[in-house]
Amino acid sequence: MPKRIAIVEDEAELASLLDYNLTHHGFETQVLAGSQGTLKTLEGMKPDLILLDVMLPEMDGFELCRQIRRSSALSRTPVLFLTARSDEVDRVLGLEIGGDDYMTKPFSPRELVARVKAHLRREELDAEPAATEIGPFKLDRSARRVFLTGRELSLTSTEFNLLEFFLTHPGRAYSRDQLLESVWGEQRFVTPRTVDVHVRRLREQIEEQPESPRYLTTVRGFGYRFEEAV
Ligand code: CA
């Protein structure tokens, strides 16, 4: 789905230049002139990012930004200010206004598009859930931790990588060579036997009875499979 950008700018020429460039880069845009009804329109539109001119005809952009931050529909939407004067930058960066970034006019459309993309990427990273629940397992990729029914497993880096792979690829049998390629990658000096050693260590951590595993089972003559954890 294309990301939606609201362009709140009363200078028609600049607005259409921004509109043109953002549309050209695959964004969906809406130009708003910045009047009393703009907040309502923004709340209905729920854009992914707002470009906001500081000098607007009916209110100043700072006031509109304060209202955006108080609006439940928009409070988390990134706001990138477009300012005509560099002395406004201090106010843009003032914490009480809640702007995320600014560009001082004149600026190149290319730089603006790059800035918009960077903000949207950051939003996506923030939106990624910190931890994923997979049956009784909780996988926290950013912290590289795994919990089993609330208890944290004590994993080496390789054990974490291997368990992460199994948790995210359940129900399929993998040969030792496939596991080496997927988990160990380019590292040398590892042999298929390495996989067995790490599987045994993982079983000791995640299985009630490591000798008759419930999750990490052996596929005879082939390799291993992680059973769907439900
Ligand atoms: Ca203006």
Side-chain angles (χ1 to χ4, degrees), residues 8-11 53-57 82 84 105:
V8 186
E9 170 62 74
D10 61 307
E11 288 160 56
D53 184 24
V54 173
M55 301 275 282
L56 293 166
L82 310 175
K105 299 173 189 177

Side-chain angles (χ1 to χ4, degrees), residues 71-230:
S71 157
S72 58
L74 301 168
S75 59
R76 291 177 50 82
T77 311
V79 172
L80 203 163
F81 273 108
L82 310 175
T83 81
R85 305 194 325 256
S86 54
D87 60 1
E88 287 167 340
V89 167
D90 290 343
R91 291 187 65 198
V92 172
L93 296 176
L95 289 173
E96 82 279 11
I97 294 168
D100 294 278
D101 201 356
Y102 67 91
M103 301 212 54
T104 309
K105 299 173 189 177
F107 49 80
S108 79
R110 182 206 291 226
E111 192 192 342
L112 178 102
V113 169
R115 206 79 78 83
V116 165
K117 285 184 177 170
H119 275 280
L120 292 174
R121 254 197 315 274
R122 196 178 308 162
E123 281 299 291
E124 263 166 27
L125 290 178
D126 288 349
E128 238 172 56
T132 317
E133 308 253 1
I134 303 155
F137 293 90
K138 199 168 105 183
L139 170 67
D140 186 340
R141 281 192 162 106
S142 53
R144 292 179 62 79
R145 300 164 86 181
V146 182
F147 299 82
L148 175 54
T149 54
R151 178 179 57 90
E152 183 174 3
L153 304 178
S154 155
L155 302 169
T156 64
S157 182
T158 303
E159 286 162 6
F160 175 87
N161 293 342
L162 183 61
L163 183 55
E164 180 193 28
F165 179 81
F166 278 130
L167 283 170
T168 51
H169 298 79
R172 251 195 77 181
Y174 290 93
S175 71
R176 291 170 179 80
D177 283 330
Q178 286 171 330
L179 291 168
L180 280 177
E181 200 179 305
S182 303
V183 177
W184 278 263
E186 295 297 299
Q187 279 182 53
R188 294 162 72 201
F189 312 118
V190 287
T191 68
R193 184 73 195 108
T194 311
V195 177
D196 298 335
V197 172
H198 284 88
V199 163
R200 197 176 63 229
R201 288 200 198 136
L202 272 187
R203 279 177 175 161
E204 281 163 12
Q205 294 246 12
I206 67 172
E207 303 288 355
E208 260 174 56
Q209 295 170 287
E211 66 284 0
S212 58
R214 170 183 161 198
Y215 299 115
L216 220 178
T217 57
T218 300
V219 182
R220 208 170 281 275
F222 186 69
Y224 298 100
R225 180 176 59 231
F226 198 83
E227 308 296 339
E228 301 272 357
V230 285

Side-chain angles (χ1 to χ4, degrees), residues 39 43 46 67-77:
L39 184 70
E43 284 173 334
K46 291 197 183 65
Q67 293 174 9
I68 286 168
R69 286 293 167 253
R70 283 197 295 263
S71 157
S72 58
L74 301 168
S75 59
R76 291 177 50 82
T77 311

